[in-house]
Structure formats: C-alpha cells, structure tokens
Amino acid sequence: MKFLVLTLLYLSTVSALSSLRKLPNSTPVARIVGGQLASPGQFPWQVAIYKYTADGRYFCGGSLFNEQWVLTAGQCVIDATEFSIQLGLNQLDSTDNNRVVLSSTTYYVEPRFDPTVSLAHDVGMIKLPTPVTFNGFIQPVRMLQSMSPIYKGVAVETAGWGQTSDSGDLVNDLNYVQLKIIANTECQSHYGSQFWGSMTCTEGSNYNEGFCFGDVGGALMAAAPVGDHTIQVGVSSFISQNGCENLDPTGYTRTDAYYQWMRNITKYG
C-alpha cells in the first residue's frame, strides 16, 4: 500500500523562490508535472497563497469562491497566523498590473480535518478583508451544489505554480495539466483505508502527469453537465510517498461533498 503525504511546500521566512525546501520527513511538495503554460486570464479563479505559521512560510494554491472568500485545502490554512493572497496573476514574480495582493488572518477548516490522523475532509476557507472586483483576470470559480460529474474517465484539468519535478522549485509561470478521473476502486487499491469516499483520484495520459508540491489547494476542473463552462469538482490534496514523478495517482477532496459547509461558512463566517 502507498502512503499519502502532506503536500505543502515550505518556504523560508527570509527568501522566496530560491530557498524552497521540502517538509521534514516528507517527499517534496506537489507540482504540475507534464503540464503546459497557461495564458493570462485562462484560470481567473486561480489564487496564490502564502501561509505564515510560527515555524515558517508555506505556499499553496486556491480558487476564488466568491468576491470575499478563497477555497483551498485544510492543510493550507490550519495553524496559520497570516496569509498573503494574490489574485489575477500568471507569474509569481512580475510587475503584473492585473495582480491584487491582500492579507488575511481569518480562516476556517472543515471541523473533521485532522492531518495527524488522515487527509480526509481536507478543505479550508480564507476570508478576504474586503470584497474583490471581478474583471477579465479575476473571476469566481463555478461549482455544482449537487453531485459533480467526476466518474471514471471524465476529463479534468488543474493548474498551479508548484514543482515540475521531484527535485524542482516553484515555477514562475502558471502551468496546467489535463488529466482524467480514475475509478475509486483503483485509487483505493493504491491507498487502502486512507482513501475516503469524499476523495477522488486522477492520472494523466502519460500516467506520471499531475500536481506536485506547491499545487496543493488548487482547483480540479471539469466540464459542466450543461453549458460550455467548467466547474470545480475537487481540491488538490495528496500524492503518494513515492513523490510526483511516479505512476501513482494524485488525490483530491471532492467539492460536492462539502458544498453546503462552504456555503454556510461564506454566509455566517
């Protein structure tokens, strides 16, 4: 049986891209492997999250849920003291006129999430200090209130700035990769009892494609059942202990399983 690993990417509190390093006792954090460059505005819901804790700084992805809330993984918010949230960007290091940078200290994590036990319920929300203005580069993600179309063989894609190899650093340009959903039974054959029904897994056409360290918290997108738009069906959550460049599937938390919780947080939080 393969073991899941937390996929937060640790950054030193002093430097940025040049001093990435992995978490103690874990494989390098998850990345977009086998992907391609995204165009400006292609993923207007994409959010870059710098998470500050008592022991350092971490990098995650996220998606803009509405004008004042960001959806990400529970591991990307738990124990945080502050967040730096960046929206509307395609490059992490640039003077992009479309970039909006906000700080926040308000977050919520799904109450059942406990990373010392498992990665089940790996969902978190960050509240922005003020609502953002939507434009061609900043738009909220769409998602279904009921069961999402994430069955075996469904085409999906995800984006991020994470590592493109097990030994790499964050990349400056946003990358995305096209994947497909695999059967729950197939994912469970890799991860055993660590796989929950509120999770789903993907593989690429070349099998080792997927997300890596630095991409956790990002959106897994699929075509909507009706219309020509895409919807978020998952949140990037875990890779296996073998790292990013192996043939093991990458795992996500299903958004349909937690949609009502998200709505309640944004309404009452």
Side-chain angles (χ1 to χ4, degrees):
M1 181 194 302
K2 312 298 191 308
F3 290 91
L4 312 185
V5 296
L6 288 172
T7 45
L8 285 178
L9 187 58
Y10 178 74
L11 304 177
S12 77
T13 56
V14 178
S15 59
L17 301 181
S18 60
S19 13
L20 299 176
R21 59 179 183 266
K22 63 183 180 181
L23 287 169
N25 302 318
S26 82
T27 54
V29 272
R31 88 302 185 193
I32 296 297
V33 175
Q36 51 192 313
L37 292 179
S39 303
Q42 184 176 352
F43 298 94
W45 51 82
Q46 186 76 27
V47 177
I49 302 171
Y50 292 88
K51 169 190 171 183
Y52 295 84
T53 71
D55 65 354
R57 185 171 67 142
Y58 297 80
F59 184 85
C60 280
S63 55
L64 188 62
F65 187 82
N66 63 24
E67 67 274 4
Q68 202 166 359
W69 288 90
V70 170
L71 172 63
T72 187
Q75 58 188 291
C76 292
V77 300
I78 197 167
D79 298 326
T81 57
E82 187 178 8
F83 303 96
S84 176
I85 307 294
Q86 300 191 22
L87 309 98
L89 69 160
N90 238 53
Q91 296 183 320
L92 289 180
D93 185 17
S94 74
T95 55
D96 193 338
N97 293 330
N98 304 309
R99 183 191 313 262
V100 172
V101 181
L102 298 169
S103 295
S104 176
T105 58
T106 304
Y107 72 86
Y108 295 84
V109 64
E110 216 284 350
R112 293 168 291 179
F113 178 63
D114 183 353
T116 65
V117 177
S118 77
L119 285 177
H121 319 299
D122 189 12
V123 182
M125 304 283 289
I126 302 172
K127 187 175 184 179
L128 303 176
T130 58
V132 297
T133 301
F134 299 148
N135 55 43
F137 301 93
I138 300 176
Q139 289 287 327
V141 73
R142 299 188 189 187
M143 61 180 65
L144 295 181
Q145 299 182 26
S146 56
M147 290 293 288
S148 298
I150 50 174
Y151 308 107
K152 179 181 178 180
V154 169
V156 289
E157 63 182 9
T158 189
W161 293 276
Q163 295 170 208
T164 56
S165 67
D166 283 330
S167 59
D169 287 345
L170 287 178
V171 296
N172 192 45
D173 296 285
L174 184 64
N175 278 252
Y176 72 99
V177 65
Q178 295 175 332
L179 308 163
K180 63 180 179 180
I181 299 292
I182 64 172
N184 285 354
T185 52
E186 185 176 350
C187 193
Q188 195 164 31
S189 70
H190 285 270
Y191 299 117
S193 61
Q194 299 171 100
F195 180 83
W196 285 59
S198 57
M199 298 173 174
T200 192
C201 290
T202 66
E203 65 182 13
S205 58
N206 294 320
Y207 295 99
N208 68 335
E209 296 166 327
F211 74 89
C212 192
F213 296 105
D215 295 319
V216 64
L220 183 69
M221 306 297 296
V226 178
D228 59 358
H229 60 280
T230 58
I231 55 172
Q232 182 170 356
V233 297
V235 176
S236 299
S237 178
F238 61 86
I239 61 172
S240 84
Q241 63 183 353
N242 295 323
C244 304
E245 293 183 273
N246 66 86
L247 301 182
D248 297 335
T250 49
Y252 309 79
T253 303
R254 293 179 60 135
T255 54
D256 55 8
Y258 302 94
Y259 181 80
Q260 192 57 54
W261 176 80
M262 299 174 206
R263 292 293 299 172
N264 289 341
I265 290 298
T266 59
K267 184 175 180 180
Y268 303 109

